[in-house]
Amino acid sequence: MRTDGDEVYPALAVSLSLSVASKTRQELIETGGNLCRRVGLPRSLGQIYGLLFLSNKPLTLEDIAAGLDISKASASVGTRQLASWGAVRQVWVPGSRRDYFEAIPEVAALLRKAYRDIVKPRLEAVQGRVEHLRTLLTEEREKGVIEAEEFEFCRSRLQILARFQKSLLSFAPWVDRFL
Amino acid sequence: MRTDGDEVYPALAVSLSLSVASKTRQELIETGGNLCRRVGLPRSLGQIYGLLFLSNKPLTLEDIAAGLDISKASASVGTRQLASWGAVRQVWVPGSRRDYFEAIPEVAALLRKAYRDIVKPRLEAVQGRVEHLRTLLTEEREKGVIEAEEFEFCRSRLQILARFQKSLLSFAPWVDRFL
DNA sequence: CACACCGTTCAATACGAATTGAACGAAGTA
DNA sequence: TACTTCGTTCAATTCGTATTGAACGGTGTG
């Protein structure tokens, strides 16, 4: 962790209450980070979730920053992002006025939610987009921008797309049933 | 397109045989690019596929570079990548010694292939990873790095993960049936 | 055999996005 | 009211990686 203000001890996560850096935790954090990076998400998200996922007790922002050696800022925005996705919960600890976080371990539920809240809406957006393209194409045909043959070709191609994402949308119930 | 060698005409895709830049094509290219970027892939891939997808006839690397205003190099690596995924096919055109490309429009089949060749193997890799973590954890327990309580906690958490991706893997047949 | 044409490669660059440090505000504490 | 303690914000920086330009090799052509 990089403290703001002056340094105390050179990067020793001394205040961290959990058994510092077991290899297991370390590796889960790493794979979590990689997993995120691969999907185009900030690696810190996966790391934070991984850290919390193997944490006995809720952790503070400082714990997280220290445990992952990232800045307090990153920890802040990261936890907020995760919380907005329901992957992390902010818990109240009576004595302290810090924010404590814990992972929500129901991974399957998280994935289901992700599908409903992110993938599916986006698919529907794409659906609208394809429709738009189809009307656009016929317009251009009427204006004579495109010749008949090419028009027909494009039309069939767009139809393929339309059919495709309709079948993708029909996935939704199956996803729900499975997870 | 930025030609190597000297310029001829200021960026007019004059040699491009398809009806230059219909709005429809334009937009599909754009959404294809965005789609890729969102998933963490180079946008040029989506653009190339989009261009070819609405193309009557096979296109050369130069056509692609010109049509998308990207470098010949990008077009080259992009088409190769797409071809390696089976999203694009290199066709032989008798008269010319250039490489011609056309899109493979069976999007559903492409997705199925992507699942089998990319997602599923990766899931299996993750499975191995989780197993590794579990043995690692018990090792650490035996060495006394972790106390009993925390060990039990982590163990249950890892088990959640294991169950989760096992159910993910059981998806495979369903994916095949659906697309 | 020289020459033009094409696709590939690779080091350099450009670009987007994640991460950071410092400043700030809110809320407790003495 | 001065002084910590925390979390947030935002401009600046860093970092990964997509993209490019130039050089190269290979293959037909005159």
Side-chain angles (χ1 to χ4, degrees):
Chain A
M1 154 179 163
R2 284 73 147 185
T3 104
D4 46 349
D6 31 11
E7 309 248 339
V8 189
Y9 287 147
L12 236 190
V14 63
S15 73
L16 200 49
S17 51
L18 44 81
S19 72
V20 184
S22 81
K23 193 108 193 322
T24 310
R25 205 187 320 272
Q26 209 73 323
E27 291 207 6
L28 183 67
I29 290 172
E30 188 183 330
T31 65
N34 292 341
L35 212 67
C36 274
R37 207 166 40 101
R38 204 179 291 276
V39 194
L41 265 53
R43 86 179 320 146
S44 58
L45 291 186
Q47 298 183 139
I48 294 175
Y49 186 75
L51 177 62
L52 292 175
F53 190 82
L54 286 192
S55 251
N56 235 348
K57 41 188 84 85
L59 299 184
T60 71
L61 282 187
E62 289 219 7
D63 291 336
I64 296 173
L68 301 177
D69 190 49
I70 63 179
S71 72
K72 207 177 39 166
S74 285
S76 177
V77 307
T79 49
R80 192 139 40 100
Q81 178 78 284
L82 288 173
S84 83
W85 291 342
V88 144
R89 168 175 30 223
Q90 181 169 354
V91 304
W92 226 88
V93 169
S96 171
R97 51 190 181 81
R98 307 193 196 197
D99 296 349
Y100 284 82
F101 295 92
E102 66 180 15
I104 291 185
E106 285 82 23
V107 205
L110 288 183
L111 185 63
R112 185 168 44 221
K113 191 174 184 332
Y115 178 77
R116 274 203 295 253
D117 295 357
I118 301 181
V119 179
K120 197 178 165 199
R122 187 151 298 160
L123 274 181
E124 283 159 354
V126 170
Q127 180 162 35
R129 195 107 189 107
V130 172
E131 289 310 324
H132 170 65
L133 286 182
R134 293 170 98 175
T135 67
L136 198 57
L137 184 70
T138 60
E139 278 178 28
E140 292 195 316
R141 174 58 189 142
E142 286 160 2
K143 285 188 204 146
V145 191
I146 299 181
E147 317 97 53
E149 188 199 7
E150 195 180 353
F151 167 74
E152 263 317 316
F153 177 81
C154 291
R155 216 181 75 80
S156 69
R157 284 286 159 101
L158 287 184
Q159 200 163 353
I160 292 181
L161 281 194
R163 270 201 294 267
F164 172 60
Q165 40 86 293
K166 207 167 79 181
S167 95
L168 274 192
L169 276 179
S170 73
F171 247 132
W174 297 90
V175 173
D176 275 344
R177 180 170 325 171
F178 238 97
L179 294 181
Chain B
M1 158 182 160
R2 285 74 148 184
T3 105
D4 48 347
D6 30 12
E7 309 246 340
V8 190
Y9 287 149
L12 234 191
V14 62
S15 74
L16 200 49
S17 51
L18 44 83
S19 72
V20 182
S22 81
K23 192 109 195 322
T24 310
R25 204 187 320 272
Q26 210 73 325
E27 291 206 6
L28 183 67
I29 290 172
E30 188 183 330
T31 65
N34 292 341
L35 211 67
C36 275
R37 207 166 42 99
R38 204 178 292 274
V39 194
L41 266 54
R43 82 180 322 145
S44 59
L45 291 185
Q47 299 184 140
I48 295 175
Y49 186 75
L51 176 64
L52 292 174
F53 191 81
L54 287 191
S55 250
N56 236 347
K57 42 187 83 85
L59 299 184
T60 70
L61 281 187
E62 290 220 7
D63 291 335
I64 295 173
L68 301 177
D69 191 50
I70 63 178
S71 72
K72 207 176 39 166
S74 285
S76 177
V77 306
T79 49
R80 192 140 42 99
Q81 178 77 283
L82 288 174
S84 83
W85 293 342
V88 144
R89 166 172 35 220
Q90 181 168 355
V91 304
W92 227 87
V93 169
S96 170
R97 50 188 180 82
R98 308 196 198 196
D99 295 349
Y100 285 82
F101 294 92
E102 66 180 16
I104 291 185
E106 286 83 23
V107 205
L110 289 183
L111 186 62
R112 184 169 44 221
K113 191 173 180 340
Y115 178 77
R116 273 202 297 252
D117 295 358
I118 302 181
V119 179
K120 197 177 163 197
R122 187 149 302 161
L123 274 181
E124 282 157 355
V126 169
Q127 180 163 35
R129 196 104 188 105
V130 172
E131 288 311 323
H132 170 65
L133 286 182
R134 292 170 97 174
T135 67
L136 199 56
L137 184 70
T138 60
E139 278 178 30
E140 292 196 315
R141 173 58 189 144
E142 286 159 3
K143 286 186 205 147
V145 190
I146 298 181
E147 316 97 52
E149 187 199 9
E150 194 180 355
F151 167 73
E152 264 315 316
F153 177 81
C154 291
R155 216 181 75 81
S156 68
R157 284 285 159 102
L158 287 184
Q159 200 162 352
I160 292 181
L161 281 193
R163 270 201 295 265
F164 173 60
Q165 41 84 295
K166 206 168 78 181
S167 95
L168 274 191
L169 276 179
S170 73
F171 247 132
W174 297 90
V175 173
D176 275 344
R177 181 170 322 173
F178 237 96
L179 295 181

